[in-house]
Amino acid sequence: KIFTAFILRRWRLAHDLTLKEAAKRLGATSLNAYARYEQGRSEPTMSAMERLISAISPKETLRVLFG
């Protein structure tokens, strides 16, 4: 969980997004829905992780992170 949280936070900050902006792009109903992933309180499935990465940077996928 901690590694996933770290990756998501770094990815969001690298794209100059606030938590609110990232949550909005994801289509989350609340800021907390996205923040839980960054805080390590929830661990996304691979498909959810793909959606999270795409929400932050629509042109990129998990392959950018993990080759």
Side-chain angles (χ1 to χ4, degrees), residues 4-42:
T4 301
F6 175 78
I7 291 295
L8 287 173
R9 180 175 166 78
R10 295 279 296 175
W11 194 249
R12 176 179 58 80
L13 293 175
H15 288 84
D16 296 320
L17 294 175
T18 65
L19 275 172
K20 186 176 182 178
E21 291 167 329
K24 184 177 179 180
R25 285 186 179 190
L26 183 61
T29 55
S30 73
L31 174 65
N32 289 335
Y34 176 82
R36 290 171 48 98
Y37 292 120
E38 275 198 19
Q39 295 165 352
R41 291 189 289 149
S42 290

